[in-house]
Amino acid sequence: MEVLSFKKANCKNCYKCIRECPIKAIRFKEHQAQIIADECILCGRCVRICPQNAKQVRDDTGVVKGYLKEGKKVIFSMAPSYVAAFQVSGLPAIAEAVKKLGVYDVRETAVGANMVKREYEKLVDAGMPVIISTCCHSIIRLVQKYYPSCIPCLAPVISPMHAHAKLIKEQDPDALVVFVSPCISKKDEVDQYCKGDSVDCTITFDELYNWLEEEGISIDRSKEDPDHFRSRFFPETGGILKSMDKNPEYRYIAVDGVENCRHALEEIEAGGMKGFFIEMSACQGSCINGPAMPKHHQGLISAQCYVEDAADPKKDYDVSHDVAMKKNVPADIPPRDMPGEAAIAEILAKIGKVHPEDMLNCGACGYSTCREKAIAVYQKKAELEMCLPYMKERAESVSNKILDSTPNAIIAVDSSFHIQQFNRAAYHLYGIDPGESMVGKPVGDIYDEAELIQVIDSRQNILSERCYMERCGLYVEKSIVYDMDDGLLLIFLKDINAEEKEAQRTAAMRRDTIEITDQVISKQMRVVQEIASLLGETTAETKIALTKLKNSMAD
């Protein structure tokens, strides 16, 4: 199972994880972020930065619980940053709490750190030109995948976790070793280098903290630790260097944060360096600022104070062992399909980036430059729609096309009664030259503000009301809608002038017909009276028929 994955349901297209990822090992497809396992260095920054908690770290607590349920002899190896994670002075306080879970024993990985730093000192004394520390697995993955030419500079020494677990196995062959740390990449290191050899499982400080809470076990922080050791400096930036005996012919440099480490590796790649020991850690602040520290833990300054209070620059562990300390790191270069300039230009053109001034490099998509984003699109790591300026322009373009193509006049007015939108039909309705921009002008110049104020005050929209507009000399059907959320008034005017005039013409024809019918009836009655004696019955029938005709026309 992968160490790090995304929860599909929670991703909200914010691209924050891509912006934060120092090596862009995240693919965005169909509105869903995905980890690219081959490229990821497991620094965990996407886990910490995600506002939707969409990143999921593999939880191995269940594996450890299984060991305990089976009655196995489980020994915890606690990474030195535990003092900062749990705000304790040393091992006794945390060991007492952890043993209540059924764990056989709790020991300090700082013992393994002491073993490792001795190997580092041997490499310095042997004159290895440039030595990069190998405690941080994320840095090892970074070098393997992106700076393979620097692999010869990696100290060929196993990590403190690995060394300490080997020592525990040497001392207690039947024990199962569980490493507890602030780092998620250690889970991958165990999978890659330690299974069946030393570490049987690893859980994070965050997972241990939740487990203790779940069992209702509290930590007695009043317990003091009388012992303080030099190797406890390891988890802070420069802590490895503080733990080492220095060779005056070497320069000792500490570099933290992936970006800074990349710059340092590029400098090493350039060549010409000699006599350097470089401590590298992927996290800024090193392990006391790891991605799996408990969420309640204090800030970097307080964490460093806990570490330094628990350490002693003059006292080392006295460890003798037969543990093999050598480590070989192979290259692990992920496949990369790089586009040519023509392909990059074609992709940029699709999102309207043709000229240098179009390259905003705003970073909203998560990539530093438009060119870098285009390469990611080519590699199927990103989508065209991730470009915010492009999508904004496209949305505005569609909106403007709809506004300009509608036959009805549309006028948008802000809360200060200034025109914000005036479409083509509105220019035509008012007989205004389209070259004269109406945006920003007072709406009172063309429309009665009193009516608009009434709509705002009453919160009653006007819908499909017919009226005659003297300003235009036209009959219109008007609707006025007030958008309270945006403080906008939307005026819709439909030209019904031709329809209204046709209705008036039809009404006039009806009136003329009724008048003519009345005249016919009157004349006919006069004739009837003159010949009444001859046509009595016929007169009555004619009157009835003509009256019906009149009533029909009136209807």
Side-chain angles (χ1 to χ4, degrees), residues 87-155:
Q87 291 129 46
V88 294
S89 64
L91 196 62
I94 190 66
E96 180 185 64
V98 169
K99 286 180 180 179
K100 291 178 182 178
L101 296 171
V103 174
Y104 174 76
D105 199 9
V106 181
R107 302 175 190 176
E108 292 197 70
T109 317
V111 174
N114 182 63
M115 297 160 64
V116 167
K117 73 101 178 180
R118 289 179 184 175
E119 296 300 313
Y120 288 164
E121 289 166 353
K122 292 176 184 177
L123 294 174
V124 172
D125 291 340
M128 185 173 170
V130 177
I131 307 168
I132 301 172
S133 64
T134 49
C135 300
C136 177
H137 186 62
S138 289
I139 292 299
I140 290 177
R141 285 178 66 99
L142 178 67
V143 174
Q144 284 179 299
K145 296 175 182 295
Y146 300 96
Y147 301 92
S149 64
C150 292
I151 288 178
C153 298
L154 290 174

Side-chain angles (χ1 to χ4, degrees), residues 240-292:
I240 297 175
L241 308 184
K242 283 185 181 180
S243 303
M244 294 174 65
D245 293 329
K246 306 294 192 303
N247 184 322
E249 295 181 6
Y250 268 71
R251 289 179 179 270
Y252 293 82
I253 309 291
V255 185
D256 62 355
V258 177
E259 290 85 356
N260 292 332
C261 290
R262 294 192 74 169
H263 292 319
L265 289 167
E266 287 163 8
E267 196 172 351
I268 293 169
E269 273 189 326
M273 295 180 66
K274 188 177 180 181
F276 283 89
F277 183 93
I278 305 171
E279 172 194 317
M280 284 194 188
S281 51
C283 296
Q284 288 188 334
S286 198
C287 301
I288 57 174
N289 193 35

Side-chain angles (χ1 to χ4, degrees), residues 185-431:
S185 73
K186 287 297 181 183
K187 292 176 182 280
D188 181 71
E189 182 180 351
V190 169
D191 293 344
Q192 296 293 324
Y193 296 99
C194 305
K195 285 289 187 181
D197 170 45
S198 52
V199 184
D200 296 282
C201 184
T202 179
I203 62 173
T204 64
F205 287 147
D206 198 26
E207 290 164 8
L208 176 57
Y209 181 85
N210 292 337
W211 188 5
L212 291 170
E213 271 204 333
E214 179 187 310
E215 296 295 331
I217 298 171
S218 58
I219 300 169
D220 182 4
R221 294 183 172 85
S222 65
K223 279 188 173 294
E224 293 292 330
D225 188 351
D227 294 320
H228 298 264
F229 298 98
R230 195 178 180 189
S231 313
R232 285 181 175 175
F233 282 122
F234 256 60
E236 67 179 25
T237 299
I240 297 175
L241 308 184
K242 283 185 181 180
S243 303
M244 294 174 65
D245 293 329
K246 306 294 192 303
N247 184 322
E249 295 181 6
Y250 268 71
R251 289 179 179 270
Y252 293 82
I253 309 291
V255 185
D256 62 355
V258 177
E259 290 85 356
N260 292 332
C261 290
R262 294 192 74 169
H263 292 319
L265 289 167
E266 287 163 8
E267 196 172 351
I268 293 169
E269 273 189 326
M273 295 180 66
K274 188 177 180 181
F276 283 89
F277 183 93
I278 305 171
E279 172 194 317
M280 284 194 188
S281 51
C283 296
Q284 288 188 334
S286 198
C287 301
I288 57 174
N289 193 35
M293 290 288 273
K295 293 178 176 59
H296 73 284
H297 86 284
Q298 296 180 347
L300 204 57
I301 295 173
S302 298
Q304 189 164 337
C305 289
Y306 274 105
V307 168
E308 295 191 352
D309 289 346
D312 185 341
K314 298 179 180 177
K315 187 177 180 181
D316 263 342
Y317 290 99
D318 183 15
V319 182
S320 59
H321 63 87
D322 293 321
V323 170
M325 299 291 288
K326 190 171 179 60
K327 179 176 186 174
N328 293 314
V329 178
D332 183 21
I333 305 169
R336 298 185 184 93
D337 185 11
M338 292 300 294
E341 291 301 320
I344 293 173
E346 183 181 349
I347 292 168
L348 289 170
K350 287 180 180 177
I351 52 176
K353 301 185 185 301
V354 179
H355 307 291
E357 58 268 24
D358 300 328
M359 312 294 177
L360 300 179
N361 299 329
C362 64
C365 62
Y367 294 91
S368 301
T369 66
C370 298
R371 179 185 173 83
E372 189 180 337
K373 154 74 181 312
I375 293 171
V377 170
Y378 180 86
Q379 295 172 338
K380 295 182 171 53
K381 292 169 63 175
E383 297 175 329
L384 291 173
E385 292 76 13
M386 289 168 60
C387 179
L388 184 60
Y390 163 68
M391 292 302 292
K392 180 175 179 289
E393 287 176 10
R394 194 169 81 166
E396 288 175 351
S397 175
V398 171
S399 175
N400 289 336
K401 284 179 181 177
I402 293 171
L403 284 172
D404 285 340
S405 62
T406 180
N408 300 328
I410 301 175
I411 306 167
V413 181
D414 64 17
S415 56
S416 61
F417 297 102
H418 285 84
I419 297 171
Q420 298 301 310
Q421 192 69 256
F422 202 79
N423 74 340
R424 185 180 299 171
Y427 280 103
H428 178 73
L429 184 76
Y430 280 93

